[in-house]
Amino acid sequence: MASLKRSVESDPLAANISNKIYVRSTKSGKVQKIVREVYLRRDIPCSSKLCQECQHQMLIPKDALGKPIPFVLSDSPAGTKVFPQGHYLVPDTNAFLTAMDLFEQESAFYDVIVLQIVLEELRNRSLPLYNRLISLTKSEDKRFYVFFNEFRLETHVPRLEGETVNDRNDRAVRRAVAWYGEHLARIKGKDAPSIVMLSNDRDNLKKAKQEGIHACSLADYVRQLKDGEKLLDMIPETQDRDQIKEKRPGDNLYPEYFSMSKMMTGVKSNLLHQGIFNVSPYNYLEGSIRVPAFPKALLILGRENINRAVDGDLVVVEVLPKDQWKEPSTQVIEEDAITKNENPDAEESDDFVSERERKALQEEVKRTHRKTTEGHAQPTAKVVGVIKRNWRQYVGHIDQSSVSQSAQQGRKQDNVFVIPMDKKIPKIRLRTRQVSELLGKRILVTIDAWDRSSRHPSGHFVRSLGELETKAAETEALLLEYDVQYRPFPKTVLDCLPKEGHDWRVPQSLEDPGWKDRQDLRDLLICSIDPIGCQDIDDALHSRPLPNGNFEVGVHIADVSHFVKPGNAMDAEASIRGTTVYLVDKRIDMLPMLLGTDLCSLKPYVERYAFSVIWEMTSDADIVGSRFTKSVIKSREAFSYEQAQLRVDDSSQQDELTTSIRTLLVLSKKLKQKRLDAGALSLSSPEVKVQMESETSDPIDVKTKVHLDTMSLVEEFMLLANTSVARRIYEAFPQTAILRRHGAPPKTNFDELANQLKVKRGLDLSVESSRALADSLDRCVDEKEPFFNTLVRIMATRCMMSAEYFCSGTQAYPEFRHYGLASEIYTHFTSPIRRYADLMAHRQLAAAIEYEAIHPSTRSRGKLEAVCKNINVRHRNAQLAGRASIAYYVGQALRGKATEEDGFVMKIFSNGFVVLVPRFGIESLIRLRDLAETEPQAEFDAENYVLRVSGSREVRVELFQKVRVRVTDQKDETTGKRGVRMELVKTY
């Protein structure tokens, strides 16, 4: 049999061809060997402006317009103490993995050669870091150049027999550094800049120096730079070889993690369980993890059982023997109160569990043993390993009590504690030379490691955001905490906008390509109804009577997909942002303002492209037929909810537009009743609006939002449009439709609330179906207190699962159901200016009605699943950021003020209780120690949810009880955030 392998004799170019061999397993379990030929070439440029040879002889890459891309690396690179003639940097993968923050600094790290092998390895190891590096390569200022070393003949390195992949990659990096040095020396001689390899791998550094290559550790390199001392704080402690300490086996405080193979074997055999670790917001020594094998969440109690897991980590746990099962804590245990005045320099202590922690946990154990009834204990587990860390950058401030006197005066490196804004994240030990400069500042830090020998994780400083409590610092802190993409849109995105800018208009000629297959609806009486001040108007409506006695009703949505084309830079940016984020004082747009507030926005009196859903329905709101079309509309008016309500209520207003709104209102009420009859839930959450002073944008008051009929009008027709579109795109794309589901919550989620209602009010909460739950919530009323029903609905909302976007091919049809809306199928279509999911639905609907062909990215299930995963996270973060913004501004609005308000007890602990104040839409913990100078004695009846406080001030507090509280502002010394403080005035 003849060999297919090329020989040098038969093919002169065979010497320039290398093989890449991959091994993968097939679905049937067989091992498949894949051999790919790689053509090695000599025309890949070095991209240095110093190199005339490459500029004239090499294959110069071109941009999308066919223009040559200019060379990247400077002809006068910066010098250092060691490399005064200038230098280019070549980092290895380890350098990017551990210190990406350094490379993003504006003061240093320019002219960087990113090797192809490093970029590929980084993508496999960390996609977020890979994306950050890609952003750097697109920055014209930083001058990061991607060199395809795997395809250049002189830098390609085949793997040797017995050589590990890591060793081969390290050798490839060294070979590329050596080639760059030789190449530029041949052209510039002694004046050539030095080529410096950056690595924290000691073995790689040692081999580089043996081969005569310039190589530095990150710490050694940074020390050469001007202001290098400040940058040293950004190097992870574990990567600074000067800080590495030898640990004795006896120094370890935490149990060793199981090996990955042992964990995977245990999970497969159901001896171990895998899930997301969640920390209790009221007790930092208590966590939980939901796993399929148990109906209730597994409880994890105590520092040793938590075993270095951080909130959000994907962990593996082992269930403890039944005699070690515990009840969830009834005590508020805050890390700051328990670990206050800890010495950050004495981290590695034999006293693993502090005396205060031991005492707090012993109280819980005693309480459990005092129980005479069985069945209250919950399955309890311990963490035996971490599959994937959820570590990110954290906003916090330096704990003043952890700072030594000498650290505040000098520039020597000191250990301090950083207290994160998020109370669920443990204190982070930080080594810094800038203690005196960073005190009283909001700072950004990263966790680098959590050794078995350390009570706390260790991290490094990234940057300062500004003074605590300044608006700029607190707003940026909030955006960073919730990973909101708030940087200005890059030039590549802005280049995708229409060249006419604000002068763009719908073409006048119906022969223009923009009118192709669009219906002219400009004669319809269309209007929009939105919150006051809304600029990004996504939706508008119309209704008109038909000759047969029925009504035509239309929902018209901004045709964003006309302007944002799949695969371009603007689409990529929108897919990353996922959603617009609304804060009290600003809006972080998903799309550039030109589109969001002008060209796409359905403003009144101007023609706009739209995507219309039009129904024929009876006077009972029964749908006779529906159709979907691209259109051109001209909105007659942009109403606020309040304006539309006044117009509807004013009997003197009998014009055609007002009559159409009244028709929509009547139909919307019938649509809502149909939903409720089908089992849709009417849930609740505290809603307030912060009033701002017009000139200074300072908060001056807090108002409770008033619900108007016109709000329901818009909501009902948006729900109907979303449901109609969901059915249509699923019919067209059963495997790839972008839909939204809301899973039925496990019945155990309601156990606590059901028991509370039974014990305190004698009410039954039925959770067999959404209809049963809706009916039982309707029965949860207190004739003496109207707010009681709202309170119960707020608490029921917190028992629900989160709704999520998904690709239809990943779930069986019964799993499509939206539990809250009682709808078999649902999607988001009506807000494409502010939600990327809606934009995807627009593209799929356009293809379904054969307006345009489906783009490959909109039919690739793999890509759509990745999009859904991202937008689910972005949507959730946007909600949390919005709530955090309201909480911050409520605290600012109350600054220096004191007011008495009614509140309701939502939760009771043995040492405090949580009160919700509807007037401000906020809740706060009132601790026993807040009731008197010396914390009073109290008796907690957990069975009946009653806390009896004795001493100088006797108080009896019960769940659901109405109380009077004094509300003031207070700076939380733990998190540095200003919020509200409540004091109990009296109970009713």
Side-chain angles (χ1 to χ4, degrees):
M1 182 176 172
S3 171
L4 295 177
K5 186 175 181 181
R6 303 178 193 234
S7 66
V8 176
E9 291 79 10
S10 64
D11 185 352
L13 295 176
N16 287 6
I17 292 176
S18 177
N19 292 330
K20 265 198 166 185
I21 301 173
Y22 303 87
V23 178
R24 72 177 183 188
S25 58
T26 63
K27 289 183 178 179
S28 61
K30 295 181 180 178
V31 175
Q32 189 176 44
K33 184 178 180 181
I34 301 169
V35 180
R36 289 181 181 163
E37 286 190 340
V38 178
Y39 175 58
L40 303 178
R41 51 208 301 166
R42 294 175 180 270
D43 57 358
I44 297 173
C46 68
S47 201
S48 171
K49 292 178 181 178
L50 289 167
C51 180
Q52 297 300 316
E53 178 183 305
C54 285
Q55 292 188 48
H56 292 111
Q57 299 177 15
M58 299 295 162
L59 180 72
I60 308 301
K62 295 179 173 59
D63 62 17
L65 299 176
K67 296 179 180 178
I69 296 175
F71 275 27
V72 175
L73 302 173
S74 172
D75 54 4
S76 54
T80 68
K81 297 170 188 173
V82 179
F83 308 109
Q85 79 280 22
H87 67 293
Y88 296 150
L89 293 173
V90 186
D92 69 358
T93 309
N94 179 270
F96 284 125
L97 278 171
T98 58
M100 185 65 76
D101 302 320
L102 269 176
F103 292 97
E104 292 172 331
Q105 289 299 298
E106 294 180 1
S107 61
F109 293 92
Y110 290 82
D111 296 305
V112 176
I113 300 163
V114 181
L115 299 179
Q116 173 194 358
I117 188 68
V118 169
L119 194 64
E120 290 175 354
E121 192 175 0
L122 188 67
R123 182 177 58 191
N124 293 332
R125 299 277 295 276
S126 172
L127 195 57
L129 290 178
Y130 168 81
N131 289 331
R132 287 167 68 183
L133 182 54
I134 289 295
S135 295
L136 285 171
T137 64
K138 293 177 180 177
S139 167
E140 294 180 6
D141 295 331
K142 291 291 284 182
R143 303 190 296 276
F144 276 54
Y145 171 61
V146 178
F147 176 65
F148 289 88
N149 63 299
E150 294 289 82
F151 297 122
R152 175 105 193 185
L153 179 64
E154 300 93 329
T155 57
H156 178 80
V157 172
R159 187 174 164 191
L160 303 176
E161 188 175 345
E163 188 177 36
T164 67
V165 174
N166 282 341
D167 286 346
R168 180 261 165 194
N169 290 349
D170 287 346
R171 192 159 56 85
V173 172
R174 297 196 301 273
R175 177 66 206 125
V177 174
W179 176 82
Y180 254 97
E182 295 160 4
H183 175 73
L184 291 177
R186 190 176 71 250
I187 294 159
K188 300 299 293 183
K190 293 182 180 179
D191 296 330
S194 300
I195 312 298
V196 183
M197 184 184 86
L198 288 182
S199 176
N200 275 316
D201 184 318
R202 291 184 179 182
D203 188 51
N204 200 16
L205 288 170
K206 182 179 177 183
K207 289 178 179 177
K209 287 174 181 175
Q210 289 172 349
E211 295 169 14
I213 294 170
H214 294 302
C216 297
S217 70
L218 281 167
D220 286 343
Y221 175 74
V222 166
R223 288 188 184 99
Q224 302 172 26
L225 303 177
K226 185 181 179 183
D227 294 329
E229 276 195 2
K230 290 184 178 180
L231 295 179
L232 280 172
D233 285 350
M234 300 176 67
I235 298 176
E237 181 184 338
T238 53
Q239 298 299 323
D240 188 345
R241 62 189 183 187
D242 295 338
Q243 304 301 332
I244 294 174
K245 299 176 183 176
E246 295 299 324
K247 300 290 182 189
R248 300 185 302 276
D251 290 340
N252 294 323
L253 303 175
Y254 290 97
E256 186 176 4
Y257 286 152
F258 287 3
S259 67
M260 190 62 73
S261 60
K262 185 175 180 179
M263 286 193 288
M264 291 300 97
T265 303
V267 170
K268 283 181 182 176
S269 60
N270 283 325
L271 296 173
L272 303 175
H273 305 276
Q274 177 180 314
I276 302 295
F277 176 71
N278 295 298
V279 176
S280 164
Y282 297 107
N283 182 351
Y284 81 103
L285 294 174
E286 177 182 301
S288 62
I289 171 176
R290 286 200 169 276
V291 298
F294 289 84
K296 273 194 170 185
L298 297 175
L299 198 62
I300 303 172
L301 281 174
R303 188 185 286 274
E304 188 170 354
N305 287 337
I306 290 174
N307 195 9
R308 295 168 286 155
V310 173
D311 188 65
D313 285 350
L314 179 62
V315 301
V316 172
V317 298
E318 181 179 31
V319 178
L320 298 173
K322 199 166 185 177
D323 61 351
Q324 295 182 39
W325 289 8
K326 303 284 194 306
E327 288 184 56
S329 173
T330 63
Q331 191 175 7
V332 178
I333 304 178
E334 297 170 305
E335 182 179 22
D336 184 58
I338 298 292
T339 64
K340 198 164 188 176
N341 299 320
E342 272 189 330
N343 183 357
D345 291 312
E347 272 283 84
E348 294 75 23
S349 163
D350 294 331
D351 187 16
F352 171 50
V353 180
S354 72
E355 194 59 40
R356 288 182 177 182
E357 284 179 349
R358 190 177 290 111
K359 185 178 179 182
L361 290 171
Q362 282 174 351
E363 289 296 320
E364 290 299 309
V365 173
K366 286 178 187 175
R367 183 180 59 80
T368 302
H369 285 305
R370 281 200 298 266
K371 294 289 181 189
T372 55
T373 54
E374 291 286 330
H376 290 283
Q378 219 170 290
T380 307
K382 64 178 180 180
V383 174
V384 296
V386 177
I387 301 289
K388 186 178 181 182
R389 289 290 191 186
N390 190 44
W391 292 350
R392 54 180 173 83
Q393 292 182 335
Y394 300 98
V395 178
H397 70 283
I398 292 176
D399 181 4
Q400 176 76 51
S401 68
S402 69
V403 179
S404 66
Q405 195 64 35
S406 60
Q408 296 185 48
Q409 298 169 354
R411 292 284 296 179
K412 74 182 187 71
Q413 195 171 44
D414 269 279
N415 286 322
V416 293
F417 282 130
V418 170
I419 302 176
M421 279 177 66
D422 186 348
K423 284 190 173 184
K424 296 200 284 186
I425 305 301
K427 290 197 294 192
I428 301 167
R429 188 162 56 95
L430 187 75
R431 288 181 68 83
T432 177
R433 296 164 178 79
Q434 306 175 65
V435 174
S436 58
E437 297 168 31
L438 298 180
L439 275 174
K441 301 276 182 71
R442 275 267 175 251
I443 62 172
L444 193 64
V445 299
T446 296
I447 293 180
D448 300 319
W450 196 342
D451 297 331
R452 290 176 61 200
S453 56
S454 177
R455 282 168 57 86
H456 297 278
S458 58
H460 70 267
F461 167 74
V462 177
R463 64 187 175 94
S464 170
L465 307 181
E467 297 286 341
L468 284 168
E469 292 203 83
T470 57
K471 189 186 293 186
E474 296 299 338
T475 299
E476 188 176 10
L478 186 152
L479 295 171
L480 287 165
E481 265 300 290
Y482 297 106
D483 194 23
V484 176
Q485 307 295 308
Y486 64 97
R487 298 297 183 195
F489 288 100
K491 183 176 181 296
T492 52
V493 171
L494 300 178
D495 287 344
C496 298
L497 294 169
K499 298 295 180 277
E500 303 90 336
H502 291 285
D503 294 328
W504 179 90
R505 297 288 182 271
V506 170
Q508 292 302 304
S509 171
L510 300 185
E511 302 302 316
D512 190 276
W515 275 91
K516 182 179 178 291
D517 296 332
R518 284 188 187 273
Q519 189 171 354
D520 188 349
L521 302 180
R522 290 176 292 181
D523 61 324
L524 293 178
L525 290 178
I526 294 172
C527 68
S528 61
I529 308 175
D530 290 285
I532 293 172
C534 179
Q535 294 178 303
D536 48 346
I537 303 174
D538 284 290
D539 54 88
L541 305 100
H542 90 274
S543 73
R544 63 178 176 178
L546 297 173
N548 62 1
N550 290 340
F551 295 93
E552 179 186 271
V553 176
V555 165
H556 311 276
I557 307 300
D559 188 6
V560 177
S561 60
H562 173 82
F563 296 95
V564 185
K565 300 301 182 184
N568 70 11
M570 185 152 55
D571 180 55
E573 182 73 17
S575 72
I576 292 169
R577 294 187 178 217
T579 181
T580 292
V581 181
Y582 294 90
L583 307 181
V584 169
D585 64 330
K586 66 169 62 180
R587 187 184 66 238
I588 313 297
D589 292 315
M590 182 183 82
L591 295 171
M593 192 176 292
L594 176 65
L595 292 187
T597 62
D598 190 357
L599 307 191
C600 290
S601 183
L602 303 183
K603 301 193 298 185
Y605 328 124
V606 292
E607 295 173 359
R608 286 288 180 256
Y609 285 148
F611 209 150
S612 301
V613 184
I614 301 172
W615 305 274
E616 180 183 343
M617 58 176 64
T618 68
S619 57
D620 289 327
D622 294 323
I623 296 173
V624 176
S626 60
R627 61 190 176 92
F628 310 91
T629 180
K630 292 268 189 165
S631 61
V632 175
I633 68 167
K634 185 175 182 179
S635 173
R636 296 298 191 271
E637 196 61 70
F639 295 115
S640 68
Y641 291 125
E642 291 79 5
Q643 288 171 331
Q645 190 68 52
L646 288 171
R647 192 157 180 153
V648 167
D649 294 341
D650 186 352
S651 58
S652 67
Q653 297 264 14
Q654 294 298 326
D655 59 278
E656 203 174 346
L657 182 57
T658 305
T659 302
S660 73
I661 298 174
R662 289 193 183 109
T663 300
L664 290 170
L665 186 57
V666 170
L667 292 171
S668 72
K669 289 180 178 179
K670 293 178 179 178
L671 287 170
K672 183 172 184 176
Q673 192 56 52
K674 289 176 188 289
R675 284 197 309 108
L676 295 175
D677 291 344
L681 295 171
S682 179
L683 298 172
S684 186
S685 60
E687 287 189 290
V688 296
K689 181 175 179 61
V690 180
Q691 287 190 323
M692 311 291 279
E693 208 280 323
S694 57
E695 291 186 7
T696 63
S697 295
D698 290 330
I700 53 176
D701 199 5
V702 182
K703 299 282 188 184
T704 306
K705 285 186 179 178
V706 178
H707 191 79
L708 302 172
D709 285 345
T710 47
M711 294 177 179
S712 286
L713 181 161
V714 175
E715 180 184 12
E716 290 305 319
F717 284 108
M718 296 307 115
L719 292 175
L720 182 61
N722 287 335
T723 306
S724 300
V725 170
R727 290 196 179 96
R728 186 69 183 86
I729 62 176
Y730 177 61
E731 180 185 298
F733 308 107
Q735 288 297 309
T736 55
I738 290 283
L739 302 175
R740 187 164 175 82
R741 64 188 291 271
H742 182 211
K747 292 181 180 178
T748 54
N749 281 21
F750 291 95
D751 284 355
E752 183 71 8
L753 179 58
N755 188 60
Q756 291 169 345
L757 289 169
K758 187 73 174 175
V759 170
K760 302 306 295 180
R761 291 290 195 273
L763 297 167
D764 291 318
L765 192 67
S766 178
V767 294
E768 281 70 35
S769 66
S770 61
R771 176 62 189 271
L773 177 59
D775 290 343
S776 57
L777 286 174
D778 288 340
R779 292 192 293 270
C780 291
V781 294
D782 184 337
E783 293 179 0
K784 297 178 182 177
E785 182 46 65
F787 187 77
F788 173 71
N789 183 260
T790 304
L791 180 65
V792 173
R793 291 181 190 275
I794 290 171
M795 296 171 75
T797 302
R798 297 176 185 184
C799 300
M800 295 289 174
M801 307 286 283
S802 294
E804 62 180 8
Y805 298 105
F806 71 103
C807 186
S808 56
T810 62
Q811 300 282 344
Y813 188 80
E815 299 302 314
F816 289 12
R817 184 173 176 79
H818 196 293
Y819 181 83
L821 298 174
S823 176
E824 285 187 6
I825 191 168
Y826 190 68
T827 193
H828 272 166
F829 167 79
T830 55
S831 297
I833 292 175
R834 61 185 179 88
R835 289 190 307 231
Y836 190 73
D838 303 55
L839 177 56
M840 296 293 285
H842 274 235
R843 290 170 180 165
Q844 292 184 337
L845 182 61
I849 64 173
E850 299 181 348
Y851 175 82
E852 62 187 5
I854 189 81
H855 189 270
S857 67
T858 317
R859 68 180 181 204
S860 164
R861 192 166 127 182
K863 288 183 179 177
L864 292 175
E865 284 181 45
V867 166
C868 288
K869 184 177 179 182
N870 178 62
I871 58 181
N872 281 328
V873 173
R874 297 295 179 194
H875 185 77
R876 177 66 176 157
N877 285 356
Q879 289 179 319
L880 295 173
R883 291 172 196 164
S885 178
I886 289 172
Y888 168 72
Y889 276 99
V890 167
Q892 293 297 312
L894 290 171
R895 196 164 189 167
K897 302 175 185 175
T899 179
E900 287 191 10
E901 300 289 341
D902 287 338
F904 296 85
V905 178
M906 292 187 73
K907 196 171 182 64
I908 293 196
F909 300 97
S910 58
N911 61 342
F913 50 95
V914 177
V915 173
L916 168 71
V917 176
R919 160 84 166 79
F920 297 128
I922 51 171
E923 56 195 77
S924 182
L925 175 67
I926 299 179
R927 304 168 187 81
L928 284 184
R929 66 172 185 262
D930 298 330
L931 299 179
E933 287 187 17
T934 304
E935 184 170 328
Q937 293 295 310
E939 180 186 342
F940 179 51
D941 183 352
E943 301 288 328
N944 294 299
Y945 305 101
V946 176
L947 181 64
R948 296 182 185 86
V949 182
S950 56
S952 59
R953 184 183 180 189
E954 293 190 0
V955 179
R956 176 189 168 96
V957 180
E958 299 186 42
L959 191 67
F960 303 134
Q961 185 178 23
K962 186 175 181 179
V963 295
R964 189 76 172 169
V965 293
R966 179 177 292 106
V967 184
T968 57
D969 70 306
Q970 180 187 44
K971 180 180 174 182
D972 188 327
E973 295 303 328
T974 305
T975 63
K977 290 192 286 189
R978 183 166 298 278
V980 298
R981 180 176 186 271
M982 294 186 194
E983 300 173 45
L984 182 65
V985 176
K986 66 176 181 178
T987 58
Y988 289 100

